[in-house]
Amino acid sequence: MAMPRDDADAVLADLADLILNVGRLVRSRTPEESPRVVPLNETERQVMRVVDLYPGAAPSEIARRTRLQRTNVSTALRALEGKGMISRAAAAGRGVAVHPTELAASNLRVLREGWARELAGVLGDDLDAVRQCTELLGRLEQRLTADEQA
């Protein structure tokens, strides 16, 4: 039996609200003060995530995937290059390919270790539930990204 639309809307809105808030809470507990972590602003974090997931992406692809204006991506790429987080290389034609550096990989490892410690302290050993949640959020991200590209 289908859930009434008002109930479904409320459940979906509650999920979106929780996703946003949990992300904010995890970020607030991120070990960014560590000397092993390169501090990034929000735009740089978004750009870096795409560079990590799609090494060799062109700046235009990064802008499309982050839904940021091309000028903001260019500014973030200059800042990330200055921080040693990315390298740019000529690609086919007049294109540019953006790659994460070893410093970026190290930075991400430190952050992921911190996130894992933080969530382990809160969630304990319920890894089956974590895997189910991760799978659901992964599908949600894929579908939202696919909708953006359509």
Side-chain angles (χ1 to χ4, degrees), residues 12-71:
L12 293 169
D14 287 346
L15 176 62
D17 182 54
L18 284 169
I19 290 169
L20 292 169
N21 197 44
V22 168
R24 183 187 61 77
L25 291 168
V26 169
R27 177 148 303 129
S28 73
R29 295 169 179 237
T30 297
E32 291 181 354
E33 308 81 39
S34 166
R36 296 174 44 210
V37 174
V38 176
L40 304 178
N41 67 33
E42 182 59 31
T43 301
E44 293 166 351
R45 277 193 287 270
Q46 287 179 297
V47 168
M48 210 54 239
R49 183 164 194 272
V50 171
V51 172
D52 285 327
L53 291 173
Y54 304 97
S60 58
E61 180 182 357
I62 295 168
R64 182 178 53 77
R65 289 185 181 278
T66 58
R67 300 187 79 189
L68 294 169
Q69 291 184 4
R70 182 74 163 79
T71 54

Side-chain angles (χ1 to χ4, degrees), residues 52-141:
D52 285 327
L53 291 173
Y54 304 97
S60 58
E61 180 182 357
I62 295 168
R64 182 178 53 77
R65 289 185 181 278
T66 58
R67 300 187 79 189
L68 294 169
Q69 291 184 4
R70 182 74 163 79
T71 54
N72 294 342
V73 170
S74 293
T75 300
L77 289 173
R78 277 193 302 278
L80 290 165
E81 193 169 33
K83 293 176 180 184
M85 299 290 284
I86 63 158
S87 64
R88 297 190 240 196
R94 295 178 36 185
V96 172
V98 181
H99 294 275
T101 64
E102 180 49 43
L103 176 61
S106 173
N107 200 62
L108 185 56
R109 277 191 301 273
V110 171
L111 291 172
R112 288 178 61 86
E113 288 167 5
W115 297 337
R117 271 192 313 275
E118 188 64 38
L119 292 184
V122 175
L123 296 174
D125 295 334
D126 195 1
L127 291 182
D128 287 337
V130 171
R131 285 184 185 99
Q132 289 176 343
C133 184
T134 301
E135 184 180 311
L136 173 66
L137 292 173
R139 284 195 320 266
L140 179 60
E141 181 182 44

